[in-house]
Amino acid sequence: YCLVNEILLQEYFPENWKDMLARYQRDGVDLMELKALPIATVPASNRLRSALDALFNHNRSIPNIVLETAEQSLIFQIACYGDVLGITNPLSMYDAFHAQRKIPTHCHFLRIRDMPEYPVQAAYRRDIDQPQYLLDFLESVRQEFSYYSIVLKKNLLPHI
């Protein structure tokens, strides 16, 4: 996902920023259209960055990354209140909502179109009886991701 600041769009695309924003809200962000914008994102060691790099490599392009940080809350802050496009994990938005922070009205959290996905999986053997601690752990993970999905849908539907 990325944080798109209307002010930044207006600066780079004064003639058609409103149309672009409406299209991005409907279809997802085309990062190749925005590749000239300064980008704040996570470092290369992050799985999200691997997907971002794969997208740009596939399109034979180089992102204009001006800031790399593991602090996704910093990406949120400078994308919404500064002059960069923020590419961050939805979990950071979950953290923002959990902390009762609101997204400023000029800042939009939007899905990135054509972004490769790298799912997180848990593997365990089903052919043997599992210890209770493993079953409890799996149930805790299911509950947490269910809650995470509910919070994101509740807070991001107007923005996605």
Side-chain angles (χ1 to χ4, degrees), residues 48-60 114 116 118:
L48 173 63
R49 178 61 180 277
S50 299
L52 178 66
D53 290 344
L55 176 66
F56 275 91
N57 287 338
H58 176 75
N59 288 283
R60 294 188 170 106
D114 302 324
Y118 295 100

Side-chain angles (χ1 to χ4, degrees), residues 4-152:
V4 178
N5 186 326
E6 287 179 14
I7 299 164
L8 185 65
L9 280 181
Q10 288 174 29
E11 181 181 324
Y12 279 80
F13 307 98
E15 302 297 319
N16 59 344
W17 72 271
K18 287 182 182 178
D19 294 334
M20 292 173 73
L21 183 58
R23 186 167 29 95
Y24 293 160
Q25 288 172 323
R26 184 183 64 243
D27 303 329
V29 173
D30 180 356
L31 282 181
M32 294 307 107
E33 287 183 348
L34 304 178
K35 64 184 176 186
L37 273 65
I39 296 172
T41 191
V42 295
S45 59
N46 188 295
R47 290 168 49 96
L48 173 63
R49 178 61 180 277
S50 299
L52 178 66
D53 290 344
L55 176 66
F56 275 91
N57 287 338
H58 176 75
N59 288 283
R60 294 188 170 106
S61 189
I62 298 172
N64 182 18
I65 297 173
V66 296
L67 175 68
E68 292 181 347
T69 179
E71 294 297 324
Q72 294 193 42
S73 61
L74 177 61
I75 296 170
F76 171 81
Q77 292 294 322
I78 64 170
C80 286
Y81 299 104
D83 291 328
V84 300
L85 180 72
I87 299 177
T88 187
N89 189 307
L91 186 56
S92 67
M93 296 307 297
Y94 168 80
D95 289 341
F97 295 129
H98 193 67
Q100 304 297 322
R101 284 183 284 174
K102 299 273 186 201
I103 296 178
T105 56
H106 65 272
C107 190
H108 304 272
F109 189 62
L110 304 169
R111 181 181 57 82
I112 298 173
R113 189 171 48 190
D114 302 324
M115 186 79 137
E117 292 186 12
Y118 295 100
V120 176
Q121 299 174 346
Y124 59 95
R125 292 182 57 170
R126 289 185 159 192
D127 61 336
I128 60 173
D129 288 335
Q130 301 300 326
Q132 190 60 45
Y133 69 85
L134 176 61
L135 299 174
D136 292 342
F137 169 75
L138 293 172
E139 183 56 30
S140 295
V141 169
R142 278 189 208 97
Q143 288 177 5
E144 187 62 26
F145 275 95
S146 174
Y147 179 68
Y148 163 71
S149 296
I150 289 167
V151 169
L152 287 177

